[in-house]
Amino acid sequence: MEKYSQFRDRGSGIAPFFPIQNEPSGIYWSFHLFLFLVRLPILLTVTLGYFFVLQWLPIGSLGKKASLWLMLGVPGVWWIDLQIDGVKKGSLAKHHKARLPQPGSVIASSHTSPIDSLYLAAIFDPVFTISYPSTRLVQPVSLFHSILHAFQYPQYDPPPKATLTDLATLIRQHPHQAIVVFPECTTTNGRAILPFSNSLLTCPPGVKIFPINLRYTAADVTTPIPGTYIRFLWNLLSKPTHCIRVRIAESVYNTSQPSASSSSSSPGSLVNEDRTSSSDTLLGSEEVEGVTAGEKGVLNKVADALARLGRVKRVGLGVRDKEGFVKAWSKQRRG
Ligand SMILES: *[C@@H]1O[C@H](CO)[C@@H](O)[C@H](O)[C@H]1NC(C)=O
């Protein structure tokens, strides 16, 4: 494995792009094969039926969510372990609603699997976007496109034909939906948080940004390597159930001020001096150009929250490193 040492984080040794191996199923192999063969046609029917027919019919938000839950239910993704910062487990009452993403807010989610988009759609019915390291603008995409994006090659620049916009405009255009941003730009195996795109900085100051971390057990349904459709389907369908661990942090605002009542800070002091220097250097590694100290502070706050929720570290490896890793990985597979 030493030839991959450059794709490990130098400080921690974490390797965020390695696929997570399936534990060998031994004597249960025929049971897994049976599950896979029974579920595959059902999943294909439900998925194609939704994306090619139902989605275009006026089934409403509820009908949409019901179809998506069915899609999650077929492979047995129904153990959801939800925890919200500041809310005791099992006590989510009405007055805690402000702690959940609402229409008009932004969701900054970790990205490890195609199930991320499916789950977020089934809960929030949001608008999905793709972020890129080279621009602050985001590309609004459909749910289907967002799911496929988890299988795609990492892209540093947006494709030339992509429609790009900023979050402020998107929020204005979709006042009745939340907006999902995957600020890491590409998928990982869930063992680290990658450096962020600057896309969250186009969020207006008054809009809540909710960091959400999604984690899977077994973790082999993550797709850090592009194009692994078959492997993903096998891991997804051959296991009886899967659990999603959902963690939602307190919302963050896009403002360089530490809090709303910061009358003491002089107008010139944009820097949050208490930021740890180690996380400051992480943003520098993906050529984050033209970012003020205040803006860096906002991105750090969201990235720190995602890492804390996922109980993982932030690393300096980004989209460029994943490009290199995927190249090395597929060369070794062929040879
Ligand atoms: C977000 O906040 C940063 C400063 O923290 C600011 O430079 C940027 O303009 C803000 N974005 C919007 C859309 O207001």
Side-chain angles (χ1 to χ4, degrees):
M1 283 292 159
E2 260 340 276
K3 63 198 257 211
Y4 292 116
S5 59
Q6 73 202 92
F7 304 112
R8 285 182 184 276
D9 184 53
R10 228 165 281 150
S12 57
I14 297 168
F17 307 130
F18 277 102
I20 293 180
Q21 297 301 333
N22 216 337
E23 67 259 40
S25 35
I27 56 164
Y28 297 112
W29 200 82
S30 50
F31 171 61
H32 291 298
L33 184 65
F34 170 76
L35 272 184
F36 178 78
L37 291 178
V38 168
R39 284 163 158 185
L40 185 64
I42 305 176
L43 183 68
L44 287 182
T45 311
V46 173
T47 307
L48 297 180
Y50 176 73
F51 285 112
F52 287 97
V53 185
L54 274 183
Q55 143 170 264
W56 309 107
L57 301 178
I59 54 172
S61 185
L62 213 62
K64 210 164 150 183
K65 287 181 181 177
S67 319
L68 296 172
W69 275 113
L70 188 63
M71 233 180 273
L72 285 167
V74 172
V77 185
W78 52 50
W79 299 106
I80 314 286
D81 167 24
L82 173 69
Q83 221 171 299
I84 301 162
D85 266 7
V87 177
K88 246 200 278 146
K89 220 174 171 184
S91 73
L92 183 62
K94 282 146 242 103
H95 53 274
H96 287 314
K97 261 201 148 161
R99 295 185 178 274
L100 284 173
Q102 304 284 315
S105 49
V106 168
I107 294 168
S109 173
S110 62
H111 200 15
T112 62
S113 167
I115 307 172
D116 298 339
S117 309
L118 195 56
Y119 172 77
L120 291 172
I123 299 282
F124 300 112
D125 189 17
V127 175
F128 288 93
T129 63
I130 298 175
S131 298
Y132 299 92
S134 64
T135 172
R136 291 188 173 207
L137 300 179
V138 295
Q139 179 185 7
V141 293
S142 66
L143 168 61
F144 191 63
H145 189 155
S146 183
I147 290 173
L148 285 187
H149 185 253
F151 291 107
Q152 275 162 11
Y153 280 82
Q155 282 175 300
Y156 193 82
D157 298 305
K161 294 182 304 255
T163 329
L164 297 173
T165 182
D166 58 32
L167 290 176
T169 310
L170 262 188
I171 291 166
R172 235 178 301 118
Q173 287 170 343
H174 303 274
H176 304 298
Q177 283 175 288
I179 315 287
V180 168
V181 177
F182 294 113
E184 297 168 281
C185 305
T186 186
T187 50
T188 66
N189 58 13
R191 295 201 171 145
I193 297 296
L194 307 184
F196 276 14
S197 156
N198 291 335
S199 57
L200 283 174
L201 297 174
T202 64
C203 186
V207 168
K208 287 181 174 173
I209 303 172
F210 286 91
I212 296 192
N213 188 286
L214 302 171
R215 196 171 176 158
Y216 302 93
T217 327
D220 57 10
V221 291
T222 58
T223 55
I225 303 283
T228 49
Y229 301 96
I230 308 285
R231 212 184 83 100
F232 170 75
L233 280 178
W234 170 258
N235 289 342
L236 180 70
L237 294 172
S238 64
K239 293 250 175 67
T241 60
H242 300 268
C243 173
I244 314 183
R245 189 173 146 285
V246 183
R247 296 290 180 267
I248 305 180
E250 248 170 81
S251 56
V252 171
Y253 291 97
N254 180 35
T255 162
S256 47
Q257 256 65 50
S259 70
S261 57
S262 60
S263 48
S264 57
S265 69
S266 64
S269 71
L270 278 168
V271 197
N272 287 348
E273 238 91 42
D274 57 333
R275 297 300 332 150
T276 56
S277 54
S278 68
S279 41
D280 279 349
T281 54
L282 290 175
L283 285 165
S285 66
E286 275 266 296
E287 302 142 55
V288 182
E289 227 77 71
V291 176
T292 66
E295 292 178 329
K296 219 186 228 181
V298 172
L299 294 179
N300 273 331
K301 232 192 267 175
V302 180
D304 285 344
L306 275 193
R308 176 177 57 80
L309 295 176
R311 296 202 210 115
V312 293
K313 286 214 164 68
R314 295 174 58 192
V315 295
L317 300 166
V319 167
R320 288 277 195 233
D321 300 291
K322 179 161 162 178
E323 280 174 354
F325 175 78
V326 169
K327 224 176 265 166
W329 181 262
S330 45
K331 204 190 274 165
Q332 177 232 345
R333 295 276 121 160
R334 260 183 269 116

